[in-house]
Amino acid sequence: MEPGLAGRLIDAGTMARLTDLAEIQPALVVDDFTTPEAAAALRDAEVIVSSWGCPQLDEAVLAAAPNLRAVIHAAGSVKHHVTDACWERGIAVTSAAWANALPVAEFTVAAVLFSNKQVLRLRDGYREHRADYHRQAAFDGIGNYRRTVGIIGASRIGRRVLDLLRPYDLDLLLHDPYTAADEAAALGARSVGLDELCSTADVVSIHAPELPETRHLIDGRRLALMRDGATLVNTARGSLVDQDALTAELVAGRLDAVLDVTSPDVLPAGSPLYDLPNVLLTPHVAGSLGGELHRMAAAAADELARYTEGLPFAHPVRPEEVHRTA
């Protein structure tokens, strides 16, 4: 994992639990499998507990780890380090993606509710007037009652967002090519085509995986379908949106946006999005931060406990599903 991450990811209680389960010591945390220390550990390793920044588990690494049976990932996607060689060898893989999905969903729900309440515009208006600004006539059409929210992608995060939005008086739409209408209904949403979702929703929130076929899923044409004053929320990946087309819409002031991810990941210093009043721009922080990291480490410890007891993983990653996930 990334240098220094272990100390932030694993609190004292979880580290003690991991140590009891598998004699794991902080000194064995590595970010390079080619070092003598890592090579010595790999010779006997049966389980690798990984996180962000883990090097690829390719054929060379697996050859140096003849006893490896499982990879427990204390983070989200395993695409960056679990290779085809792992699947071919039959290594069991699990991920704490479900745990990392929780704060992303919470961030999204906050974004949806604040967006429908037009919080950014109200803040700026109050700042400008610096006087009594609470006049109902100025807020016509604002609020969350009977507003329409469109969710793109019935991923872990998308499903959690739908679940958290259920108590509100909202019309929930869902677009996902792998989710049937009856399943969408069970999630509390109405299944619709992507164009209908974009043209109907007051808030459009993206939760689809980053795949070749999802690049620029929200392109200039679909942005143009969105209602004047609608909000685009993106906590997924920047590549899913045509950044140039979105920037043009935001500069024009026709749409609002809550963007935790962009393309590129860090926008150039001269990007207008940093200063636009209709944009809430954050640096990819919707996922686990601070104490939320400990949830993922605890999830990894739970999976390691199941492994030592001979039980199947509670949250397995299956090779046939990887191409459809983030």
Side-chain angles (χ1 to χ4, degrees), residues 30-42:
V30 299
D31 57 15
D32 182 353
F33 288 134
T34 66
T35 66
E37 180 184 37
L42 284 172

Side-chain angles (χ1 to χ4, degrees), residues 197-227:
L197 184 148
C198 289
S199 62
T200 305
D202 298 293
V203 179
V204 173
S205 190
I206 303 173
H207 304 288
E210 184 177 43
L211 304 169
E213 55 266 37
T214 60
R215 176 174 170 76
H216 289 186
L217 184 68
I218 303 301
D219 55 11
R221 184 183 69 81
R222 287 192 170 122
L223 289 168
L225 290 176
M226 292 178 63
R227 295 176 173 181

Side-chain angles (χ1 to χ4, degrees), residues 79 97-102 104-105 108 150-164 173-179 183-184 187 189 205-211 214 217 233-237 240 321-326:
K79 287 183 177 180
W98 68 269
N100 195 45
L102 301 183
V104 181
T108 301
I151 302 299
I152 301 174
S155 59
R156 291 184 185 89
I157 298 169
R159 288 167 183 260
R160 180 61 175 167
V161 169
L162 287 170
D163 185 51
L164 292 175
L173 308 179
L174 173 66
H175 172 75
D176 188 299
Y178 299 99
T179 303
E183 186 178 0
L187 294 171
S205 190
I206 303 173
H207 304 288
E210 184 177 43
L211 304 169
T214 60
L217 184 68
V233 179
N234 191 4
T235 57
R237 291 293 185 269
L240 275 67
E321 299 172 349
V322 170
H323 78 283
R324 294 199 283 121
T325 60

